[in-house]
């Protein structure tokens, strides 16, 4: 494939944008080479500026669960845009999207919209601290909750990929209030809670981790967290920015049959426009300004274009009851196909999957937490990534990212992907 125009654009971008990108993982640092610049996308396909086509397994990192340029979303956004793009005043569509989200997700009465997953998690933690009147939080190594200071302490994907598990610029004062535990290690969490008795406001977790590959929680672990939180007066915060409206209409809460105290959203809820949200039962949400003392605000929050995209997306998902099952079946098919090829060629691997999230790790042992995810062979991953890219398959450019399948992917696309791996596999040894 020819990447001439992408290379030229990347060079120009680097002169005026740090690293040439507005979010680090896009720069291909973990896999080397030049990022491809997109011209357009439709359904399951991306088309770059050099005219190459790719079957897309990222879908803008999750939001486009029904594929690129999904007609109902396009229609909703363009119709809304004609009426004006932002008012900084209430609009009816905010209540429409809020009502629909509240009806789909278990255990929430009220929802507040923000502009990104980062904002959602940051605000959820402030709310949890305000509500419990406690300062410390527990997060898990390898879980990513956006780039706000409190979370940039052993955060997965981007942060790990760049060898900066905690970033300069995060103060020691902030770091001391974030306690770290290992994913799937309930005893470790119990110990932290004992050591910091009555100081912990919240435990925040990706209920199915997606920022160190895809790592589902063990049932005893996630149930144990729930019990521990209830017992100790700690709020359980589910960061469902990835899993919300993806694993099921009710997200991971529904799939795992566990209710959290606060739930964070992003990605799918915006249908491809910048939307985040956090939600909880009324007792907690009423602590937010203007009803309560915990301050949170946003000039563009509840933006009508963003709300109309989110509404069209959630309406489509709530009407099509079979969509999540269909996606899970496609993902299982891909899993089986990839596994077959890697086994045939004798390439050590572990594949993790839940619903429409899947990750391929080049290591022998089970991947259950950050340490086991980090054991994957990155040299093999690089060859795999670039090999597949050259075959017209766009996978996440980091071994720490989950793939996100979208419903526009056909079985022909999946067969194309598996056939591509057949060609690439001999080079992975
Ligand atoms: C993507 C992501 C975020 C951050 O969302 P942004 O919209 O990128 O700020 C937070 N938590 C999880 C689990 C995510 O996957």
């Amino acid at each position: 494939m020819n990447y001439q125009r992408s290379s030229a654009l990347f060079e120009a971008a680097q002169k005026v944008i740090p690293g040439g990108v507005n979010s680090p993982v896009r720069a291909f640092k973990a896999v080397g080479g030049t990022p491809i610049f997109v011209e357009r996308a439709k359904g399951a396909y991306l088309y770059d500026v050099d005219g190459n086509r790719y079957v897309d397994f990222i879908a803008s990192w999750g939001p486009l669960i029904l594929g690129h340029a999904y007609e109902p979303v396009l229609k909703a956004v363009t119709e809304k845009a004609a009426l004006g793009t932002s008012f900084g005043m209430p609009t009816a569509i905010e209540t429409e999207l809020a009502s629909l989200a509240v009806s789909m997700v278990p255990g929430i009465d009220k929802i507040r919209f923000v502009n990104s997953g980062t904002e959602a998690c940051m605000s959820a933690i402030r709310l949890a601290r305000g509500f419990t009147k406690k300062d410390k939080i527990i997060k898990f190594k390898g879980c990513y909750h956006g780039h706000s200071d409190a979370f940039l302490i052993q955060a997965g994907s981007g942060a790990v990929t760049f060898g900066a598990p905690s970033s300069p610029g995060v103060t020691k004062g902030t770091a001391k209030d974030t306690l770290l535990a290992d994913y799937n290690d309930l005893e470790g969490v119990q110990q932290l809670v004992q050591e910091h008795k009555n100081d912990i406001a919240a435990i925040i977790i990706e209920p199915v981790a997606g920022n160190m590959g895809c790592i589902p929680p063990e049932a005893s672990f996630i149930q144990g967290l729930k019990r521990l939180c209830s017992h100790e007066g700690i709020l359980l915060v589910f960061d469902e920015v990835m899993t919300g409206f993806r694993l099921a209409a009710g997200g991971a809460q529904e799939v795992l049959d566990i209710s959290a105290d606060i739930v964070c959203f992003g990605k799918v809820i915006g249908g491809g426009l910048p939307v985040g949200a956090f939600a909880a039962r009324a007792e907690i949400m009423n602590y937010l300004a203007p009803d309560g003392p915990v301050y949170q605000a946003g000039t563009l929050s509840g933006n009508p274009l963003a709300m109309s995209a989110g509404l069209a997306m959630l309406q489509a998902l709530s009407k099509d009851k079979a969509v999540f099952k269909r996606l899970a079946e496609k993902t299982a098919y891909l899993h089986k196909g990839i596994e077959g090829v890697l086994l045939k060629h004798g390439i050590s691997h572990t594949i993790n999957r839940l619903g429409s999230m899947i990750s391929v790790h080049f290591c022998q042992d089970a991947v259950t937490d950050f340490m086991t995810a980090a054991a994957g062979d990155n040299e093999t991953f690089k060859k795999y990534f670039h090999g597949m890219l050259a075959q017209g398959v766009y996978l996440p450019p980091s071994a720490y990212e989950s793939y996100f399948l979208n419903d526009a992917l056909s079985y022909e696309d999946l067969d194309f992907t598996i056939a591509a791996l057949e060609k690439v596999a001999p080079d992975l040894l």
Side-chain angles (χ1 to χ4, degrees), residues 125 129 135-137 139 147-153 166-167 169-179:
I125 288 302
R129 286 169 164 160
D135 287 347
K136 293 195 189 301
I137 60 169
K139 85 172 277 287
H147 63 91
S148 90
D149 287 4
F151 301 124
L152 278 187
I153 293 150
S166 47
S167 165
V170 176
T171 66
K172 290 195 193 92
T174 296
K176 83 170 174 23
D177 284 330
T178 301
L179 309 172

Side-chain angles (χ1 to χ4, degrees), residues 134 252 332 427:
K134 296 188 274 187
D427 299 330

Side-chain angles (χ1 to χ4, degrees), residues 116-119 121 144-147 206 211 239 241-242 267:
S116 66
T118 294
E119 270 186 78
C121 296
Y144 180 67
H145 306 294
H147 63 91
E206 290 179 62
N211 282 291
D239 176 354
V241 170
M242 255 182 200
K267 301 191 170 122

Side-chain angles (χ1 to χ4, degrees), residues 23 61 115-121 143-147 157 205-211 239-243 264-267 274-276 401 404:
S23 197
W61 299 99
N115 304 288
S116 66
T118 294
E119 270 186 78
C121 296
C143 279
Y144 180 67
H145 306 294
H147 63 91
S157 54
I205 186 166
E206 290 179 62
V208 174
N211 282 291
D239 176 354
E240 295 228 38
V241 170
M242 255 182 200
T243 53
C264 306
F265 299 104
K267 301 191 170 122
V275 180
E401 304 280 2
F404 301 106

Side-chain angles (χ1 to χ4, degrees), residues 384-406:
Y384 167 68
F385 170 79
H386 279 293
M388 295 299 276
L389 189 68
Q391 295 294 329
V393 177
Y394 194 61
L395 301 176
S398 156
Y400 289 104
E401 304 280 2
S402 169
Y403 313 179
F404 301 106
L405 270 69
N406 70 80

Side-chain angles (χ1 to χ4, degrees), residues 255-278:
V255 172
L256 304 172
D257 194 20
I258 300 261
S259 55
D261 295 298
I262 306 181
V263 190
C264 306
F265 299 104
K267 301 191 170 122
V268 176
I269 199 171
L273 266 75
V275 180
F278 56 106

Side-chain angles (χ1 to χ4, degrees), residues 70-306:
Y70 180 64
E71 289 297 337
V73 169
L74 296 188
K75 186 164 174 283
V77 172
T78 47
E79 282 177 8
K80 219 34 168 185
L83 303 176
T85 55
S86 178
F87 312 111
M89 296 165 75
T91 54
I93 196 166
E94 294 161 73
T95 309
E96 274 188 79
L97 181 56
S99 304
L100 182 54
V102 164
S103 75
M104 291 170 80
V105 176
I108 62 171
D109 301 316
K110 295 187 180 184
I111 185 165
R112 170 67 59 85
F113 293 112
V114 293
N115 304 288
S116 66
T118 294
E119 270 186 78
C121 296
M122 175 185 87
S123 308
I125 288 302
R126 185 182 305 136
L127 178 58
R129 286 169 164 160
F131 184 80
T132 59
K133 304 183 174 60
K134 296 188 274 187
D135 287 347
K136 293 195 189 301
I137 60 169
I138 295 178
K139 85 172 277 287
F140 294 89
K141 294 176 197 167
C143 279
Y144 180 67
H145 306 294
H147 63 91
S148 90
D149 287 4
F151 301 124
L152 278 187
I153 293 150
Q154 290 230 3
S157 54
V160 167
T161 301
F162 291 90
S166 47
S167 165
V170 176
T171 66
K172 290 195 193 92
T174 296
K176 83 170 174 23
D177 284 330
T178 301
L179 309 172
L180 284 173
D182 286 308
Y183 204 83
N184 276 322
D185 174 17
L186 183 60
E187 266 178 44
V189 180
Q190 285 164 334
Q191 205 170 328
L192 274 180
V193 169
Q194 285 315 312
E195 282 164 19
H196 299 271
K197 199 96 181 137
N198 301 323
D199 285 341
I200 298 168
I203 296 177
I204 184 166
I205 186 166
E206 290 179 62
V208 174
N211 282 291
M212 42 184 169
C214 167
I215 302 184
E218 282 154 21
S220 59
F221 167 69
I222 201 84
Q223 288 161 2
L225 282 186
K226 170 75 188 171
R227 271 197 308 274
L228 183 64
C229 284
S230 305
H231 190 255
E232 300 287 336
I234 296 169
L235 296 186
L236 181 60
V237 181
F238 271 10
D239 176 354
E240 295 228 38
V241 170
M242 255 182 200
T243 53
F245 308 103
R246 170 165 286 281
L247 295 182
Q253 284 196 105
E254 181 183 325
V255 172
L256 304 172
D257 194 20
I258 300 261
S259 55
D261 295 298
I262 306 181
V263 190
C264 306
F265 299 104
K267 301 191 170 122
V268 176
I269 199 171
L273 266 75
V275 180
F278 56 106
R281 56 185 186 269
E283 175 201 10
I284 296 175
M285 291 307 275
N286 291 345
Y287 254 70
L288 270 185
D291 282 353
V294 174
Y295 192 69
Q296 189 280 323
T299 301
L300 290 173
S301 293
N303 173 270
L305 302 194

